[in-house]
Amino acid sequence: MPELLEFEEPIGVLLKEIEALSMLPRTPERERSIDSLRRRADEIRGELYANLTPWQRVLVARHPSRPNTLDYVERLFTGFDELHGDRRFADDHAIVCGFAAYKGEPVCVIGHQKGRDTKQKIFRNFGYARPEGYRKALRVMQMAQKFGRPIVAFVDTPAAYPGVESEERGVAEAIALNLREMMMIEVPIVVLVCGEGGSGGALGIAIGDRVLMQEFAVYSVIPPEGCAAILWRDANRKVEAAQALKITAADLLALGLVDAVVPEPTGGAHNDFDTATALVDQALTQSLAELSALDTETLLASRYEKFRRMGEEGTAFVDKTAPPA
């Protein structure tokens, strides 16, 4: 069972009762009590997740058991072949790139990978990508363009790696180059913000024709703690910062910064991988079908207009190429 978050304490009490009853000899009455407690736990979970604050959504997006890029690759794609290295410096394990088949059609898959246990987290640098990660991603995307394969990108990173060596190797230039080149890639690009969409670290692989966002993911120019530390010199005001930053899926959809919100199962994607994957699968299928019907000129024009209009006050982007609902 995934570990409980701080706001899920009422569920934890019930789960402990269920565990205690489960260790006793089984009787019809005891089974009924366990079923009743489970139903009550599900009800409380549903109530909690229907009324999450922005900060609580940040906690859900950061949950260590939340499905990551390789989890989705395993469940959605077949024949995945990972490619390594940027052909300049090294291979960055925080970004996974490769080619696979999606429902029989060849695609390119790119995504951040945080790691789950301590060993994996260190190996993946906790999802903080270095310059070579973005250059590797661009190399693979350009290869996808060469062979006419749509690109699917999974975004889940706190930020780009801010260390000295990252700056020495030009992380800002690497991200900026990706922004420019992804705008001109001549194949469809579908982006899914599936966890944390943090700053330029996220944006470096997030220029797409469809930017989807899972219900409990977050997407922001800066983490709430960093925002609070800069604005108020007090990182403990992170809850207030999360509210002000407008980082939730509903906020970003209203602002026109994402195109659709992908629902999650009750309790978040980390509680039910299969249902979460099925919902992502549905969104990907629809987006790829819509984009594959467009010619290259229309695709690029639509992508350009989409990002040019971002930030216009009071207007959300409307894709004129999409079929009517």
Side-chain angles (χ1 to χ4, degrees), residues 29 33 41-42 53 57 63 80 117 128 132 194 197 200 220 224 237 251 253 255 272 275 293 299 314:
E29 184 178 353
S33 297
D42 289 340
T53 66
R57 288 173 182 266
H63 197 289
F80 178 66
D117 57 32
Y128 288 92
E132 48 270 22
C194 56
S220 172
R237 295 179 69 177
D251 289 330
L253 182 64
L255 292 168
D272 189 346
T275 302
L299 184 76

Side-chain angles (χ1 to χ4, degrees), residues 106-152:
V107 296
C108 169
V109 182
I110 292 168
H112 297 98
Q113 185 73 16
K114 287 183 174 179
R116 193 144 281 149
D117 57 32
T118 302
K119 184 177 179 181
Q120 287 180 6
K121 287 178 180 177
I122 293 171
F123 179 71
R124 301 287 181 183
N125 199 32
F126 297 84
Y128 288 92
R130 297 179 170 90
E132 48 270 22
Y134 295 103
R135 291 175 178 135
K136 173 174 70 172
L138 180 58
R139 178 176 75 84
V140 175
M141 286 188 284
Q142 288 172 335
M143 193 181 300
Q145 175 180 255
K146 180 178 180 180
F147 294 104
R149 297 190 172 195
I151 298 166
V152 179

Side-chain angles (χ1 to χ4, degrees), residues 14-273:
L14 293 175
L15 293 180
K16 286 180 182 178
E17 289 186 41
I18 292 170
E19 185 179 2
L21 288 173
S22 300
M23 296 175 67
L24 298 174
R26 292 191 173 187
T27 65
E29 184 178 353
R30 194 163 288 134
E31 289 294 325
R32 285 194 294 271
S33 297
I34 290 173
D35 289 341
S36 177
L37 288 170
R38 282 178 177 157
R39 286 194 298 271
R40 180 58 184 152
D42 289 340
E43 288 174 7
I44 293 175
R45 184 180 285 111
E47 292 169 5
L48 287 174
Y49 275 79
N51 299 283
L52 292 181
T53 66
W55 174 248
Q56 288 170 340
R57 288 173 182 266
V58 172
L59 297 178
V60 176
R62 293 174 176 173
H63 197 289
S65 298
R66 193 168 176 85
N68 53 43
T69 297
L70 290 179
D71 290 323
Y72 286 121
V73 165
E74 179 184 349
R75 290 166 172 79
L76 291 173
F77 304 93
T78 56
F80 178 66
D81 287 318
E82 186 175 354
L83 300 179
H84 299 273
D86 67 342
R87 299 295 184 265
R88 295 186 188 182
F89 183 78
D91 183 33
D92 185 357
H93 305 297
I95 290 185
V96 173
C97 303
F99 292 99
Y102 179 63
K103 299 188 175 180
E105 297 296 324
V107 296
C108 169
V109 182
I110 292 168
H112 297 98
Q113 185 73 16
K114 287 183 174 179
R116 193 144 281 149
D117 57 32
T118 302
K119 184 177 179 181
Q120 287 180 6
K121 287 178 180 177
I122 293 171
F123 179 71
R124 301 287 181 183
N125 199 32
F126 297 84
Y128 288 92
R130 297 179 170 90
E132 48 270 22
Y134 295 103
R135 291 175 178 135
K136 173 174 70 172
L138 180 58
R139 178 176 75 84
V140 175
M141 286 188 284
Q142 288 172 335
M143 193 181 300
Q145 175 180 255
K146 180 178 180 180
F147 294 104
R149 297 190 172 195
I151 298 166
V152 179
F154 295 91
V155 173
D156 183 17
T157 180
Y161 184 62
V164 173
E165 65 271 31
S166 191
E167 294 293 340
E168 288 175 341
R169 296 197 293 273
V171 66
E173 184 271 344
I175 292 173
L177 183 63
N178 277 26
L179 301 185
R180 187 188 74 183
E181 294 301 314
M182 287 185 76
M183 191 62 71
M184 298 185 289
I185 291 281
E186 296 180 352
V187 293
I189 305 174
V190 178
V191 176
L192 175 71
V193 182
C194 56
E196 277 188 282
S199 190
L203 200 58
I205 61 168
I207 303 297
D209 304 290
R210 294 287 184 277
V211 180
L212 312 175
M213 186 171 175
Q214 284 191 290
E215 184 179 358
F216 301 123
V218 294
Y219 197 13
S220 172
V221 70
I222 189 172
E225 299 92 330
C227 175
I230 291 171
L231 287 183
W232 302 299
R233 303 191 181 210
D234 182 3
N236 291 324
R237 295 179 69 177
K238 57 194 177 186
V239 176
E240 186 178 347
Q243 180 72 40
L245 281 167
K246 304 294 183 185
I247 60 179
T248 70
D251 289 330
L252 293 162
L253 182 64
L255 292 168
L257 300 180
V258 300
D259 301 307
V261 176
V262 180
E264 294 189 35
T266 302
H270 59 275
N271 269 303
D272 189 346
F273 277 32

